[in-house]
Amino acid sequence: MSEHVSNLEAIAGMALATLACRFGGYWLFARITPTPFIRHMLSYLPGTIFMAFVTPALVRGGPQDWVGAACAIAAMMFIRNLGAAIGLGVAGAWAWHLLA
Amino acid sequence: MDSATTASTIKFTRAGFWRGMSRAWPLAIALGPFGLVVGIIIQSKGLTMVDCVLMNMFIYAGASEIVALANWTHPAPILAAILAAFVVNMRLALMGPVLNPWLAKITPVQRFFSLFVLVDPSWALAVTDMRKGGTDAAFYAGLSVPLWAGWVISSLVGYLAASRLNLPPDHPLFFAALASFIALLVPLWRGRSDALPWLVAGGVALSVARILPGSSWYIVAGALAGSITGAIAEHRK
């Protein structure tokens, strides 16, 4: 029983920490006037966050993921549809998985 | 912000909400396998179904859940789990302010729920819409609801099916979550000025991931290094 309570405590703690991240950054920036430098930084964040997230995962993933990534990017560039890009990305990775 | 939106024209309409809902389904489906994996891991660590649902409803950040679960013990490692959530999700603190042009103009209740469900894919689509001059903050809310519901459901399905499913960890289906993040990079690309910041972000993230394996500092480090590079380049113009 106490074991289960500790699970709930850990989940509640994680939820609060995540909430602090979600609200904390917004709260802070709403209270300061960002300098032009900070505004420029924020404008670059969307792309750089995704690059930082994706690059190590791709390098770790190997050829199967690289083929899938190339398919997803090509589909997104030419079809401009997120569902198609994800589907073709998985299809590409799957094709490589079956062939290799 | 670099959008053409003027703060006074921000609205929150039903039409915008539905437009977001209609754009969210491919993402909700793509994140399904990711949710499935999280559910399977939660089951394998001996947590209850209630734990699984609470975790995914209130933490709702898969990467941090996987990191914390990797080192789960009984009784639970409370401090380590909290630290994992904080470090992996620190990027969310950087993401919130980017939505400020929309969030500052809606009601506090709408703002609370918008931030409560802040996650990477819906945020990226909202930022893309904002950059194109989008002024309807309900678009982001419409994106968020199916993603959140889909996440809670897919992780629960994973939990319940854990003993029957036997997918190897390198199964191509699990590539769907990464594929969605990669595809979302395409509309975020604004032109040549993005090249250097993106390269720096990827390079720094790769190095930090090598130096500190098993942690997630690499996301925050790469994102900050890339963005600072971009801001310095703008400053020199």
Side-chain angles (χ1 to χ4, degrees):
Chain A
M1 192 60 211
S2 65
E3 222 172 61
H4 187 229
V5 171
S6 79
N7 282 344
L8 290 177
E9 282 169 347
I11 291 168
M14 285 178 73
L16 285 176
T18 308
L19 215 59
C21 293
R22 285 190 168 114
F23 286 84
Y26 182 84
W27 186 86
L28 192 70
F29 274 85
R31 263 148 201 81
I32 58 170
T33 312
T35 62
F37 189 85
I38 300 243
R39 279 209 312 277
H40 280 133
M41 256 185 76
L42 286 180
S43 83
Y44 279 99
L45 266 179
T48 55
I49 285 185
F50 277 70
M51 279 301 286
F53 190 80
V54 157
T55 309
L58 268 184
V59 170
R60 212 181 313 120
Q64 176 180 314
D65 286 10
W66 304 339
V67 171
C71 293
I73 291 172
M76 198 65 183
M77 284 172 70
F78 297 113
I79 311 177
R80 300 197 162 273
N81 178 298
L82 187 58
I86 295 163
L88 287 171
V90 173
W94 210 320
W96 181 270
H97 184 78
L98 293 175
L99 294 172
Chain B
M1 306 301 129
D2 58 345
S3 66
T5 48
T6 46
S8 55
T9 60
I10 301 301
K11 51 189 187 288
F12 196 98
T13 70
R14 191 167 291 187
F17 186 84
W18 288 115
R19 191 166 63 87
M21 289 265 275
S22 70
R23 289 279 300 279
W25 68 265
L27 276 176
I29 293 172
L31 293 177
F34 189 20
L36 221 57
V37 172
V38 169
I40 292 170
I41 297 174
I42 293 173
Q43 197 270 352
S44 74
K45 293 292 172 179
L47 276 74
T48 67
M49 198 169 85
V50 173
D51 293 336
C52 175
V53 173
L54 289 175
M55 209 171 200
N56 291 299
M57 281 178 76
F58 292 104
I59 302 172
Y60 183 47
S64 66
E65 294 172 38
I66 288 179
V67 172
L69 286 162
N71 304 304
W72 208 270
T73 51
H74 296 281
I78 297 173
L79 281 180
I82 292 173
L83 188 68
F86 190 71
V87 172
V88 181
N89 295 328
M90 209 183 276
R91 71 186 189 289
L92 298 171
L94 300 171
M95 284 159 51
V98 182
L99 289 179
N100 188 50
W102 282 1
L103 296 185
K105 298 295 167 186
I106 56 182
T107 70
V109 173
Q110 290 166 342
R111 192 181 311 128
F112 175 86
F113 283 106
S114 295
L115 286 170
F116 181 79
V117 293
L118 180 62
V119 276
D120 314 72
S122 49
W123 174 77
L125 285 182
V127 169
T128 305
D129 190 73
M130 193 188 277
R131 282 178 172 173
K132 285 186 194 147
T135 54
D136 198 334
F139 175 67
Y140 168 73
L143 284 168
S144 303
V145 170
L147 279 190
W148 183 81
W151 177 259
V152 174
I153 293 167
S154 62
S155 55
L156 181 59
V157 169
Y159 184 93
L160 295 173
S163 47
R164 260 156 289 168
L165 278 176
N166 210 353
L167 293 178
D170 66 336
H171 194 279
L173 214 49
F174 298 139
F175 181 66
L178 189 55
S180 64
F181 285 94
I182 292 164
L184 284 169
L185 272 166
V186 174
L188 288 177
W189 175 264
R190 292 172 300 177
R192 207 177 288 170
S193 64
D194 277 327
L196 184 63
W198 285 28
L199 277 175
V200 169
V204 168
L206 204 56
S207 315
V208 174
R210 291 244 163 98
I211 297 164
L212 300 168
S215 85
S216 290
W217 291 104
Y218 69 92
I219 303 173
V220 179
L224 281 179
S227 306
I228 289 170
T229 305
I232 290 172
E234 295 278 344
H235 230 60
R236 287 200 176 153
K237 272 180 190 168

